[in-house]
Amino acid sequence: MDPEVSLLLQCPLGGLSEEQVRAELSPAYDRRPLPGGDDPITATWNARRQAQPWLFDAPKFRLHSASLGSPDPGGPCLKLLMGLTSYRDFLGTNWAGSAGRLRCQGKADWGDAQAYLADPLGVGAMLGTSDGCFVFLRRSLKVAEAPGLIDVPGGHPEPQALFPGESPRHEDLPEDLVVRELFSSILQEIRDEVNLPLSALSRPLLLGIARNETSAGRASAEFSVSCSLSSEQVRTLYRTGGLEAHESTDIIFMESRVRAERQDAWVPGWCWEAEQGGAGGVTSSQGCRWHLGRERVCPQSHRQEVAALRGHPRPVLCLQGLH
């Protein structure tokens, strides 16, 4: 597996629906205050704001941990333990020069390398078009995280979507609505970043949760979303500009057809070499791990684009068998 990515959790084959996910929100799952106080966070934020005055702070959900529980009558159940954090704290911990030291100290003090880190939960989607392409965006140079790199559509679920105000409290956020916001936020990000109508998008399926080690292990929930529009229709809508058109500068389409070893039909999918292997062959994707030698996955015409995509910042999971 790519050293910049660690897999926190992989959902069962086919992904999980909103009804199969539970959330527990508590102050116990918030970031621990920094030893000696949070003044370094304030200093980092002020410096970033001076260099990038368009940045703004907002509350975020913090992922403490995730675990698959005993199957419900409707299938497996994923439980998310979540707290609250902020974008300011994210830049002041996960993206600070001291992030590595904070992880070591968190491990020593609390048995948890992420204890002192903001770790706002992100969302991302492998968005598939009706003609068998996946959608990537080149991020603007003006965004705070991974400027200029190639990424999938994504962002964050927003506590303020459930309770408007600068500082929502844990008790203000019903846990069932937290899960709903997690799943609906990825559709809203696709709408705002790619300029697609919600009516053209399928219900998201959660494929897994991965940590981006370039941002000190910040977690991202990765989804599969299908679109009823073709790649050319998507390109046309993207070029007319959505609410968050300023966050990217280009759209890239990659064909992906992988033959599943247990099926006769061609199915969408990416190539990722899972550490555990398995008789099922390729079943999921990691954004930084590509099989350049496989014509079925990477036609010659896309070799250069695929090489460039190795730099995209978000770890992505995508399972075969999703239609």
Side-chain angles (χ1 to χ4, degrees), residues 8-19:
L8 179 62
L9 180 141
Q10 183 166 346
C11 296
L13 185 67
L16 296 179
S17 66
E18 178 182 332
E19 293 76 18

Side-chain angles (χ1 to χ4, degrees), residues 207-265:
L207 304 176
I209 303 173
R211 291 196 183 276
N212 185 350
E213 298 301 332
T214 62
S215 55
R218 177 268 191 97
S220 180
E222 304 299 339
F223 294 87
S224 171
V225 177
S226 297
C227 174
S228 61
L229 304 176
S230 70
S231 55
E232 282 307 309
Q233 289 173 311
V234 171
R235 190 192 307 275
T236 298
L237 288 170
Y238 171 81
R239 287 176 173 172
T240 65
L243 292 175
E244 296 180 358
H246 61 282
E247 293 188 359
S248 66
T249 59
D250 195 14
I251 190 167
I252 297 169
F253 297 92
M254 290 295 301
E255 296 179 3
S256 182
R257 295 285 173 176
V258 181
R259 182 180 293 278
E261 294 182 11
R262 293 180 180 174
Q263 300 178 13
D264 293 328

